[in-house]
Amino acid sequence: MTTLTQTKERFSASAGSAVASLRDGRGAFDILPTPNLEWSPEVEAATAHLYERVAKVIPPVEWPFHAPYIKAINDLKRVRDAVILAHNYQTPEIYHCVADYVGDSLQLAKLAAASPAKVIVQGGVHFMAETSKILSPEKTVLIPDLEAGCSLAASITGADIRALRREYPGVPIVAYVNTSAEVKAEVDICCTSSNALKIVESLGSDRVIMTPDRYLAENVAAQTKVKIIAWRGACEVHERFTAEELESYRADHPGVKIIAHPECPREVVEASDFAGSTAAMIDYVRTKKPARVLLVTECSMADNVAAETTGTEFIRPCNFCPHMKRITLPKILDSLVHMREEVKVDPLLAARARVSVQRMIDAG
Ligand code: 13P
Ligand code: SF4
């Protein structure tokens, strides 16, 4: 068995240069040399079992470009005592080949808190990395690209929540986890797409303010007697789907099961056979095994599910999230080599935000 020290020595030796140290006030981080990224028989042998996982969705000609990064990342994770948390929208070479944990927003939040690793590399967008940091303040949380944002998180600020409180005194405010730490710190409780209805009904109020996704709010409002007051944000990926588009897919692909994410407009959800979080959508395919399916969500998810599914034909409209796609294998490797970009949340703000996230977890 290779020890951490042996793996680290192998890294240093293979690049033939000294390991530098970066001081950040809490101790020393080694900046490791960038590993050799050439395609070789050794890399091919070390990654052959991983290629089997993605062979249905990554052509053989592309593998020599991914495999050296995959091997280097998997080696370096052990050196750093790091885990990679990947959202279901990450590309297959990340999702199936370097991620330690995959899931929807709620699952990733819980996994971040439960993992014993010292370092979390977030394969996802900034609010997800912040949520990891909020739940695990003692861990080093890295995001491979600081610009990986989210149209929902960008649509609302802490000052907006304070203004809502003045406008609707006493009405509980729920924030989707797709929000900044500043927003989470101001609200009463968080929710994700998998628990939004439950959270709203758990508050015992006849009126609830849901922020920031107007469509998630409309989709919850359709299932409850609670009066929902909605912020007007939207996911730039899901709001582009239309009911007409789905009807034309149904006409072209008889028998197709259409499953949608609740960030889609109400009429899109109504035109679908099922709606749920990304994890619930994956579960639908795994358990119901439809002969034909169309996932009305970010397009990498269909690749990830198709890679591990037999007997189902995937109809694939492709709306991709430009923020999720900022996370790539070279950037993940760079994160682990340089220990960047570190996501920091002011401890007092994090403590307040943690109350809202923890209330959500406890309610679930
Ligand atoms: P879930 O994975 O929680 O369903 O969220 C989808 C999403 O858009 C995350 O950015
Ligand atoms: Fe935000 Fe939509 Fe991208 Fe998810 S898919 S990160 S909600 S913009």
Side-chain angles (χ1 to χ4, degrees):
M1 196 173 136
T2 314
T3 65
L4 292 190
T5 316
Q6 284 165 335
T7 312
K8 195 164 171 176
E9 279 164 1
R10 216 173 56 226
F11 258 92
S12 308
S14 71
S17 71
V19 172
S21 275
L22 170 71
R23 294 207 170 268
D24 74 339
R26 291 168 310 163
F29 280 135
D30 295 335
I31 302 174
L32 298 174
T34 303
N36 182 355
L37 292 169
E38 275 168 31
W39 172 242
S40 65
E42 188 205 351
V43 171
E44 186 173 12
T47 58
H49 66 295
L50 296 173
Y51 186 63
E52 279 173 28
R53 294 187 192 169
V54 291
K56 282 193 199 153
V57 292
I58 297 182
V61 70
E62 285 180 21
W63 190 243
F65 295 96
H66 295 309
Y69 285 97
I70 289 168
K71 180 176 181 319
I73 289 167
N74 286 333
D75 287 346
L76 206 40
K77 276 192 309 192
R78 290 190 285 278
V79 178
R80 294 300 198 191
D81 190 12
V83 288
I84 298 181
L85 302 187
H87 186 261
N88 293 324
Y89 294 161
Q90 294 293 289
T91 49
E93 67 277 9
I94 295 173
Y95 184 91
H96 286 291
C97 302
V98 298
D100 298 280
Y101 303 104
V102 295
D104 67 7
S105 306
L106 180 61
Q107 291 169 327
L108 293 185
K110 289 181 179 169
L111 288 164
S115 167
K118 288 197 190 111
V119 177
I120 291 171
V121 181
Q122 197 81 35
V125 293
H126 193 263
F127 76 79
M128 294 177 176
E130 267 194 348
T131 308
S132 293
K133 186 67 186 176
I134 289 165
L135 289 173
S136 307
E138 74 293 353
K139 291 178 187 161
T140 300
V141 177
L142 304 175
I143 187 157
D145 187 328
L146 263 181
E147 300 292 312
C150 169
S151 64
L152 281 168
S155 73
I156 192 161
T157 63
D160 292 326
I161 302 290
R162 291 192 290 276
L164 283 170
R165 286 233 189 263
R166 287 193 294 274
E167 197 176 344
Y168 298 99
V171 180
I173 306 183
V174 180
Y176 197 26
V177 284
N178 299 39
T179 46
S180 64
E182 186 204 10
V183 167
K184 290 182 175 83
E186 293 287 345
V187 299
D188 297 293
I189 190 165
C190 288
C191 76
T192 71
S193 56
S194 62
N195 60 20
L197 176 64
K198 192 172 184 178
I199 296 293
V200 163
E201 296 197 327
S202 75
L203 296 171
S205 173
D206 56 355
R207 284 194 306 167
V208 167
I209 300 170
M210 284 189 75
T211 63
D213 187 354
R214 56 178 288 201
Y215 298 120
L216 181 68
E218 283 170 19
N219 287 316
V220 168
Q223 302 172 69
T224 181
K225 290 197 169 70
V226 178
K227 182 175 171 356
I228 304 292
I229 301 161
W231 189 253
R232 306 300 287 170
C235 162
E236 67 188 84
V237 177
H238 292 96
E239 74 171 344
R240 294 207 298 271
F241 291 104
T242 65
E244 296 72 43
E245 181 187 358
L246 298 199
E247 290 317 325
S248 82
Y249 281 114
R250 274 200 202 281
D252 292 346
H253 303 280
V256 67
K257 292 291 178 198
I258 298 186
I259 60 178
H261 194 276
E263 289 171 13
C264 292
R266 181 75 201 132
E267 62 272 19
V268 170
V269 169
E270 281 175 328
S272 305
D273 298 296
F274 172 79
S277 75
T278 54
M281 294 169 84
I282 294 172
D283 200 45
Y284 180 101
V285 178
R286 283 188 186 143
T287 56
K288 306 250 187 237
K289 303 184 189 310
R292 275 182 167 172
V293 74
L294 189 157
L295 307 184
V296 189
T297 192
E298 211 276 345
C299 53
S300 284
M301 202 170 93
D303 292 339
N304 291 332
V305 188
E308 60 182 23
T309 307
T310 47
T312 296
E313 179 194 359
F314 288 79
I315 312 301
R316 301 189 198 201
C318 193
N319 284 356
F320 78 89
C321 173
H323 312 290
M324 288 281 180
K325 293 300 169 276
R326 282 181 173 273
I327 310 302
T328 61
L329 288 176
K331 287 186 198 169
I332 292 173
L333 180 61
D334 184 76
S335 265
L336 287 164
V337 166
H338 295 276
M339 295 295 283
R340 67 186 182 202
E341 303 288 344
E342 187 170 355
V343 174
K344 294 186 176 164
V345 182
D346 171 78
L348 290 177
L349 187 78
R352 289 169 57 214
R354 189 155 51 247
V355 172
S356 303
V357 178
Q358 195 59 49
R359 273 190 194 136
M360 166 187 79
I361 291 173
D362 295 345

